[in-house]
Amino acid sequence: MVDDPEQTVGESAESDENEPETDGGVRAYTVRLELVDEPGELLRALDPISNNGGNLLSIHHERGNKTPRGHIPVEVDLESPPDRLDDIVGALRDAGVNVIQAGADHYGEEISVVLVGQLVRNDLSNTLSRIETEVGAAVRDLSLTAPDGTEAISSARVRLAVDSGRSEEALETIRTIGSDKDLTVVEPLLGGETA
Amino acid sequence: MKLAILGAGAVGQSVADLAGEYGHEVVAISDSSGAAVDPDGIDVERTLERKAGGDPVGTDGVDDVFESDYDVLVEATPTTLGDAEPGFTHVERALEDDRHVVLANKGPVAERYDELRALEADSRGSVRFEATVGGAIPVLSTIEDATPQAVTAVRGVLNGTANFILTRMAAEGLDYEHVLAEAQDLGVAEADPTFDVDGTDAALKFVILANVLADGGFSLSDATVEGIQDIPGSALDLAAEDGRTIRLIGEATRESVRVSPRLVPENGALAVTGTRNIVQIETRHAGSLASSGRGAGGPETATAVLSDVGRLPEL
């Protein structure tokens, strides 16, 4: 993280006046979004970008072209300091905008799994890093509960970002890691209308 | 139709009890220690009273049942795994005599489906087994109406005991052992709940569904099965923080059968509570169809048996 006197971590763009300062170069990024086909959606999606110090370069918006889910894909080219991109993506998500890809990272789908077992004794951080490297997923969030202490059976909920269309494959790999480490993996039910 | 009922447990007794309402006659019923056969129709009430008093249903033997003048054999003996005996032999004998068979026993259709269909092909009788999947819920007849080829997958909750335990664990924050003991006190779980909680019972039903979708080829050994014994209360708490819960979900497709605890949306259709069951049928042309209801119980399952009897052609 580059030093930034104007903004502390976690406090993303509360007002327009508080223009974040940049110290040391900007880079160009392409952010791919999927918007709901409703009036005002595009504008709503662009606000979080400028509010967080992003400089819009171009917007590619093809209204006629829809995704299988009926959303409109939008490609936004922007300039921002490298350490601001996460804030921009975070603010877009907070605004309810579906971010498919930002910079080099794909964020196609999010899946949650619950792991049960001797999580702490079996090296939880190793389990998570195996999930990241072997599955090719980014761990977005982790909740751990160990009601009977860390030496006993505990449970963890892990939220992962995986590439579009790779959820089944990701879950299969997590199953393998789970059986290696003697963990019960509770997977989400994918597919179908209630998944 | 004239019914011969093998097995006088909760389901067999209820079939006998309700047959008259559906316009059928019971000419024979057997339990493990004897049989009652009467070509003019047995006196169901008196026979069941005898049974309730601890006596055999009658003084005849199982062979007398097969020699009686019945149209439909109702196979309601306990489900057995592997060779599915003696249920399979009962079905075989009835089909060889060109009679219809309606099964409430899951064994023969889960473990020996292809052999069963081959026997049916050589018989004037037909085989139906709505009662083996989801008790009172019309599952197989829905698939039959939609045609099996147009169904891509069937998912759902088909074990009330496991679902009851998971529901109570989530609601009360209790652990598996506590809730299991409570379920046993309430009579929701049997003294030996193994097949309910380790997923075997649900797997048998999804194996039957896969056999219907793929026109055979599956038995219990082809299913991937995980139970709920290792799910602690804390896992349900974590799921709830995220708006989800855990259910023992089965999935049957033409390719595979899987039963395992899964994360599902807390307010979604599949998160039925208590002993309720649900099936969701994914179709090619009509989207997803769901129906839920009581997946077990004597009278409930008997209605499925008697609906099957009503769908049989005259011999």
Side-chain angles (χ1 to χ4, degrees):
Chain A
M1 196 77 187
V2 183
D3 264 353
D4 184 348
E6 289 288 325
Q7 193 154 355
T8 52
V9 177
E11 176 198 280
S12 57
E14 292 184 15
S15 68
D16 290 356
E17 303 89 81
N18 202 4
E19 274 299 332
E21 270 184 20
T22 61
D23 56 351
V26 292
R27 274 187 54 192
Y29 295 99
T30 299
V31 177
R32 284 173 51 208
L33 314 172
E34 277 184 14
L35 301 183
V36 182
D37 188 8
E38 277 170 16
E41 275 300 299
L42 181 59
L43 193 60
R44 211 165 66 78
L46 298 181
D47 272 346
I49 297 175
S50 49
N51 290 349
N52 285 280
N55 182 29
L56 285 169
L57 297 176
S58 72
I59 300 162
H60 186 66
H61 178 228
E62 256 185 280
R63 209 173 166 278
N65 180 13
K66 288 199 178 175
T67 70
R69 280 186 288 191
H71 295 166
I72 300 172
V74 178
E75 247 181 47
V76 179
D77 291 326
L78 58 90
E79 276 180 342
S80 96
D83 57 316
R84 284 257 173 270
L85 186 66
D86 278 356
D87 289 344
I88 292 172
V89 172
L92 283 166
R93 287 232 166 85
D94 289 346
V97 177
N98 197 1
V99 181
I100 301 302
Q101 185 184 355
D105 293 333
H106 285 263
Y107 302 111
E109 288 167 19
E110 275 193 352
I111 50 174
S112 290
V113 295
V114 171
L115 306 174
V116 179
Q118 295 283 359
L119 290 169
V120 180
R121 193 187 296 167
N122 289 347
D123 195 348
L124 181 58
S125 68
N126 170 265
T127 305
L128 295 178
S129 66
R130 278 191 66 182
I131 289 177
E132 289 211 311
T133 53
E134 290 170 37
V135 178
V139 174
R140 294 236 144 278
D141 169 276
L142 169 80
S143 292
L144 177 75
T145 65
D148 304 314
T150 53
E151 287 300 299
I153 296 289
S154 50
S155 305
R157 188 186 69 240
V158 186
R159 195 159 54 92
L160 298 163
V162 298
D163 286 351
S164 286
R166 290 203 48 220
S167 293
E168 287 286 359
E169 211 179 307
L171 288 170
E172 211 166 291
T173 312
I174 295 169
R175 269 206 295 281
T176 312
I177 297 172
S179 67
D180 276 3
K181 303 203 110 196
D182 209 14
L183 304 175
T184 300
V185 180
V186 182
E187 298 169 40
L189 184 67
L190 304 176
E193 286 174 16
T194 57
Chain B
M1 295 260 191
K2 292 178 178 162
L3 311 185
I5 303 169
L6 294 184
V11 176
Q13 291 191 34
S14 294
V15 171
D17 194 27
L18 297 176
E21 263 185 59
Y22 281 73
H24 306 298
E25 193 181 8
V26 181
V27 295
I29 185 166
S30 79
D31 62 12
S32 50
S33 43
V37 179
D38 188 334
D40 300 323
I42 63 165
D43 182 336
V44 171
E45 204 175 320
R46 270 188 47 206
T47 309
L48 295 184
E49 267 170 26
R50 245 198 324 273
K51 168 94 182 157
D55 293 326
V57 287
T59 51
D60 297 313
V62 171
D63 281 338
D64 299 315
V65 175
F66 282 100
E67 276 149 28
S68 72
D69 183 27
Y70 67 94
D71 301 309
V72 184
L73 184 79
V74 174
E75 221 300 340
T77 62
T79 294
T80 50
L81 306 183
D83 64 6
E85 293 295 1
F88 188 84
T89 301
H90 294 157
V91 176
E92 185 174 33
R93 200 162 163 188
L95 287 172
E96 280 172 354
D97 290 342
D98 290 321
R99 312 294 171 86
H100 293 305
V101 176
V102 171
L103 285 145
N105 174 354
K106 295 183 278 293
V109 252
E111 298 284 47
R112 300 176 72 178
Y113 188 86
D114 297 347
E115 290 170 76
L116 194 81
R117 286 302 197 194
L119 288 170
E120 185 192 30
D122 291 336
S123 171
R124 283 199 289 134
S126 359
V127 179
R128 302 193 63 92
F129 42 94
E130 179 71 80
T132 60
V133 180
I137 309 172
V139 183
L140 300 177
S141 55
T142 307
I143 295 173
E144 193 175 1
D145 287 348
T147 75
Q149 306 86 271
V151 173
T152 53
V154 183
R155 294 171 230 281
V157 173
L158 285 178
N159 185 278
T161 304
N163 203 67
F164 176 88
I165 292 173
L166 291 172
T167 307
R168 293 289 294 162
M169 284 173 70
E172 306 297 327
L174 292 170
D175 262 322
Y176 171 77
E177 274 81 17
H178 289 94
V179 178
L180 175 59
E182 181 200 40
Q184 284 168 326
D185 288 346
L186 288 171
V188 170
E190 291 170 41
D192 179 4
T194 311
F195 282 175
D196 292 316
V197 299
D198 76 0
T200 304
D201 173 73
L204 286 169
K205 295 165 186 171
F206 283 96
V207 165
I208 294 169
L209 286 165
N211 275 332
V212 170
L213 296 189
D215 197 20
F218 289 90
S219 67
L220 184 60
S221 57
D222 300 308
T224 307
V225 189
E226 282 169 71
I228 61 164
Q229 311 94 306
D230 295 333
I231 305 294
S234 60
L236 284 148
D237 293 343
L238 282 178
E241 280 174 20
D242 206 20
R244 288 157 211 242
T245 189
I246 299 174
R247 288 291 183 264
L248 185 63
I249 302 282
E251 293 175 278
T253 65
R254 259 173 275 282
E255 286 78 42
S256 64
V257 177
R258 184 173 171 204
V259 172
S260 56
R262 306 290 278 273
L263 288 168
V264 294
E266 207 167 14
N267 300 314
L270 288 177
V272 286
T273 58
T275 56
R276 219 170 167 74
N277 285 21
I278 181 162
V279 281
Q280 206 167 45
I281 300 171
E282 306 291 339
T283 68
R284 258 190 246 292
H285 313 300
S288 166
L289 307 170
S291 51
S292 84
R294 297 189 188 172
E300 291 86 346
T301 309
T303 64
V305 169
L306 290 162
S307 301
D308 267 352
V309 173
R311 286 166 184 263
L312 289 167
E314 287 289 332
L315 278 171

